[in-house]
Amino acid sequence: MRERDLLNKDVVLAEEKERDKGSVIQTLENELKKLQNKIQGYKLEGQKLQKLIYQLEKDKQKYGIEAS
């Protein structure tokens, strides 16, 4: 009887640990998705800024030629 109770207690503790680990894993996966979305946003912003810089450089050359 006592041994069965001890084994049952061990099983319950193991299940709790597994649930906790599952919760931690889920939290980390959610954080990973958030960071990946953030990185994607920064990449898109970088591409927009590169296009803008390119256009400004073209305008600079155009107006430099007009001024000379």
Side-chain angles (χ1 to χ4, degrees):
M1 217 35 179
R2 183 174 186 276
E3 187 174 330
R4 186 190 69 174
D5 289 343
L6 289 174
L7 290 174
N8 190 34
K9 184 178 176 181
D10 288 343
V11 169
V12 170
L13 289 174
E15 288 174 348
E16 287 177 5
K17 285 182 182 180
E18 189 166 330
R19 265 184 282 150
D20 289 345
K21 286 180 184 178
S23 175
V24 169
I25 288 172
Q26 185 66 35
T27 302
L28 291 174
E29 286 175 348
N30 289 341
E31 188 67 26
L32 176 64
K33 287 178 186 177
K34 287 179 189 176
L35 291 172
Q36 287 173 336
N37 288 339
K38 208 173 202 181
I39 289 170
Q40 186 63 30
Y42 288 141
K43 284 181 182 179
L44 291 174
E45 185 68 23
Q47 289 173 351
K48 288 178 187 177
L49 290 174
Q50 282 179 330
K51 288 179 184 177
L52 181 61
I53 289 170
Y54 176 75
Q55 185 62 41
L56 289 172
E57 287 176 349
K58 277 179 50 178
D59 290 347
K60 178 183 170 184
Q61 288 177 352
K62 175 182 155 187
Y63 294 128
I65 291 171
E66 285 181 14
S68 64

